[in-house]
Amino acid sequence: MSSVPGSRLPSWAQTPSSGNQDGVSQDPIETTYLRLKLKYAESLHQNWIEKLEQPKQILEQLYLAAYLIELWRGMYGAVPATDQLQPQPNSNVLFPGFVSLACGSGILVYVLYMEGYKGSGFDARRRKTWETYPIEVQDRLEERIYIPQPFTDAIGLPDIEAEIHTGDFPADVFIISDHSDELTVWTPLMAALASPSSPLPFFIIPCCSCSLSGIRYRYPPKKSILERKSVNFNTSTNAEKYVEQNPQPSSGDLRSLRATKDEQKTDRGFGNSMIGSLTAKTRDIAEEVKFEVEETYLQTPGAFSRASRALIGRRKQQVEESAKTSPGQSSQSALVDKVTKIIERECAKDGGVQAAAKLWIEQAKSLHRQQGD
């Protein structure tokens, strides 16, 4: 795929400047984004063959690629291939690689790989766009269905004519969970289970809200500190407590969707929104398993231009493990026990771990059956 000649972009690719960032300085992101847009946008647009996904998602993915490139520059000293023309004190040898969950059209994997970052992506359904990428990128995109290891432990491997992924990620790999729907809340849990001695770092952009069973579920907004102080809880868990709300509707009219978007423009509105509640829930679970979590603000361009939040989970916090482990128990096994209890707690709303596992697998089978559509 060739880069765009010259510096002019078609009208569809002209986007306004992005907003401020909390996680990474804004100027280098915009500089990198403009470079990626000039290099990849037009050729990706010309080769777009998907029917269901909007081609202007290209800009959103290019912006996310720019953000991750600058994030990894700070975390690992990793730099794009174009920056490696001059000797660097920290080369990409230090970069542990990435995996993109529910990678969809694979744009992010393609761009990051072409920029010199080793990594891969998988999705429950193969996309036609994958065939438009260079063969070395195609080899890094897999059609695999994720089934959490705790679910296979509970009911065994399902009878599905598809490759199954249970979270066996390489050591230290960086997890990208971009609009991964039912995998959102699972992301910090899979990051901890994949490597209990050194949980994997992650980047999450929450989207559709689901319980651990994969069923659509709207998490209630977190109660304020004052409200929490006035409530007596009958459990000893350190997790944030939530008030019960109605389940998330599967669809809504245009007026309600616009009202929700306007509400999310304020912090209070965002906190009460579906995505705000999902973000808070995911962050709380990540912090329960001792991640250092940073919440950052993104103003993504493209057809779905919007302000959104992202969560960056870094290495496990340094805590006094001796106070949290039983005699003879390692900190790794203590973390696994902690994750197991969280999963049991969160699956209770769906009837327990076994019931949640059956719900998850039924949906996995449904996704596989949709492959020919």
Side-chain angles (χ1 to χ4, degrees):
M1 303 178 71
S2 59
S3 59
V4 182
S7 59
R8 291 185 59 82
L9 290 169
S11 59
W12 67 269
Q14 300 293 336
T15 54
S17 176
S18 303
N20 292 329
Q21 308 296 319
D22 298 323
V24 184
S25 177
Q26 176 61 23
D27 289 343
I29 296 173
E30 291 197 353
T31 300
T32 300
Y33 169 61
L34 178 59
R35 179 179 66 78
L36 296 180
K37 188 163 63 171
L38 289 169
K39 185 176 181 180
Y40 298 105
E42 183 61 19
S43 59
L44 282 168
H45 181 69
Q46 291 175 352
N47 286 281
W48 191 267
I49 56 177
E50 301 294 339
K51 293 182 178 180
L52 298 180
E53 296 166 327
Q54 296 288 340
K56 287 190 179 180
Q57 286 183 358
I58 293 167
L59 299 181
E60 191 176 57
Q61 294 296 289
L62 290 175
Y63 177 85
L64 180 54
Y67 187 95
L68 290 170
I69 285 172
E70 295 308 320
L71 177 66
W72 294 338
R73 189 192 298 270
M75 289 180 65
Y76 306 105
V79 297
T82 53
D83 289 3
Q84 296 179 24
L85 299 178
Q86 297 179 355
Q88 299 288 326
N90 294 315
S91 69
N92 285 15
V93 172
L94 300 177
F95 180 64
F98 70 88
V99 59
S100 179
L101 312 180
C103 63
S105 60
I107 293 174
L108 190 60
V109 175
Y110 162 66
V111 172
L112 290 173
Y113 182 83
M114 299 303 291
E115 289 295 303
Y117 301 90
K118 61 183 180 181
S120 62
F122 68 89
D123 200 286
R125 289 180 291 127
R126 175 174 293 276
R127 301 300 201 274
K128 295 179 181 179
T129 300
W130 294 3
E131 299 171 7
T132 68
Y133 301 139
I135 188 64
E136 63 267 28
V137 177
Q138 294 183 40
D139 290 342
R140 295 176 175 272
L141 295 168
E142 296 182 298
E143 182 186 24
R144 299 180 72 180
I145 294 177
Y146 175 74
I147 300 180
Q149 185 67 49
F151 285 173
T152 61
D153 290 342
I155 63 174
L157 286 172
D159 183 17
I160 300 179
E161 294 181 2
E163 291 290 329
I164 294 175
H165 200 308
T166 58
D168 51 337
F169 301 117
D172 301 322
V173 72
F174 190 100
I175 298 177
I176 303 170
S177 184
D178 170 32
H179 293 78
S180 58
D181 296 348
E182 65 272 14
L183 302 186
T184 299
V185 181
W186 270 106
T187 300
L189 298 174
M190 68 172 76
L193 288 174
S195 180
S197 62
S198 183
L200 309 177
F202 59 77
F203 179 91
I204 303 173
I205 299 181
C207 185
C208 298
S209 186
C210 300
S211 68
L212 289 192
S213 69
I215 298 295
R216 288 292 182 92
Y217 177 80
R218 177 165 182 163
Y219 290 97
K222 277 180 62 173
K223 302 185 72 174
S224 68
I225 295 176
L226 292 178
E227 288 176 310
R228 289 201 300 270
K229 287 182 178 179
S230 65
V231 178
N232 292 321
F233 298 114
N234 58 7
T235 61
S236 59
T237 177
N238 291 325
E240 296 290 355
K241 309 302 188 295
Y242 292 79
V243 293
E244 288 302 322
Q245 297 285 321
N246 292 329
Q248 171 191 339
S250 59
S251 62
D253 59 25
L254 183 59
R255 179 179 297 177
S256 64
L257 292 175
R258 285 176 175 170
T260 300
K261 184 175 181 180
D262 290 339
E263 186 184 58
Q264 291 175 5
K265 292 180 179 178
T266 65
D267 285 340
R268 183 175 181 180
F270 179 79
N272 289 327
S273 69
M274 177 273 291
I275 294 181
S277 299
L278 174 62
T279 302
K281 182 66 174 181
T282 305
R283 178 170 188 161
D284 285 348
I285 286 180
E287 289 177 343
E288 274 196 86
V289 292
K290 306 306 177 184
F291 277 99
E292 295 178 351
V293 184
E294 180 180 350
E295 191 167 333
T296 187
Y297 169 87
L298 302 174
Q299 181 69 47
T300 54
F304 301 102
S305 179
R306 62 186 181 274
S308 59
R309 309 289 178 96
L311 299 175
I312 303 170
R314 301 180 188 269
R315 295 297 186 185
K316 184 171 176 289
Q317 294 173 350
Q318 298 298 315
V319 296
E320 185 57 48
E321 296 291 352
S322 61
K324 301 179 181 296
T325 59
S326 303
Q329 183 184 35
S330 67
S331 59
Q332 292 93 321
S333 62
L335 180 60
V336 172
D337 288 347
K338 179 69 173 177
V339 172
T340 300
K341 290 178 181 178
I342 292 172
I343 293 171
E344 290 173 349
R345 182 192 74 208
E346 295 300 320
C347 287
K349 67 174 64 68
D350 293 310
V353 175
Q354 287 191 341
K358 291 177 181 178
L359 289 170
W360 182 281
I361 289 170
E362 284 305 310
Q363 292 178 92
K365 291 180 177 179
S366 177
L367 275 175
H368 185 62
R369 286 194 295 268
Q370 293 172 16
Q371 177 61 35
D373 295 341

